[in-house]
Amino acid sequence: MTRPRTYEWFIKKFNENNKNNIEIIGDYKNMSTKLLVKCNRCGKEWMAHPQKLVKGDNCRECAYKDRNKKHKGNNRKKTQDEFVTEIGIKK
């Protein structure tokens, strides 16, 4: 049986995986009870599981925006020849 996670343990693990993007607003009760958090980049507030925050989850809105910026202009599909050349398969 695992022992209950303390507030101190949660904050330590949260700080290890969080790059100052999320601020904890609500009170920590245990690892399975959601708490209120706020994104420091976009200001969005949502209820999140401490388990996911400890694993490194971030704001979904910001992640979606970052993903779109990363792939913007790179949506053109490659031909088979371009793909084969890229991965280095010899015919």
Side-chain angles (χ1 to χ4, degrees):
M1 181 174 206
T2 60
R3 64 179 216 224
R5 304 295 184 185
T6 63
Y7 175 75
E8 291 79 18
W9 180 90
F10 166 69
I11 292 298
K12 178 184 171 210
K13 293 295 184 179
F14 173 76
N15 289 332
E16 287 174 7
N17 294 320
N18 182 18
K19 299 173 183 81
N20 295 324
N21 293 336
I22 299 176
E23 178 183 350
I24 299 171
I25 299 173
D27 294 330
Y28 173 81
K29 292 183 180 43
N30 58 42
M31 288 296 284
S32 58
T33 302
K34 289 183 177 182
L35 67 149
L36 185 63
V37 294
K38 178 181 178 181
C39 177
N40 291 330
R41 288 175 59 194
C42 70
K44 180 180 181 203
E45 294 182 2
W46 75 98
M47 298 296 287
H49 281 284
Q51 296 166 334
K52 292 185 177 184
L53 295 173
V54 166
K55 291 180 181 179
D57 275 10
N58 280 312
C59 174
R60 289 184 182 187
E61 304 243 344
C62 289
Y64 181 73
K65 289 175 189 174
D66 291 344
R67 187 173 53 243
N68 282 343
K69 284 180 189 175
K70 182 179 176 182
H71 296 294
K72 191 174 186 177
N74 196 15
N75 293 331
R76 185 183 70 82
K77 292 185 179 180
K78 298 175 185 157
T79 65
Q80 183 171 353
D81 291 335
E82 289 172 329
F83 179 71
V84 167
T85 303
E86 181 181 318
I87 63 172
I89 295 178
K90 297 179 181 177
K91 291 183 178 180

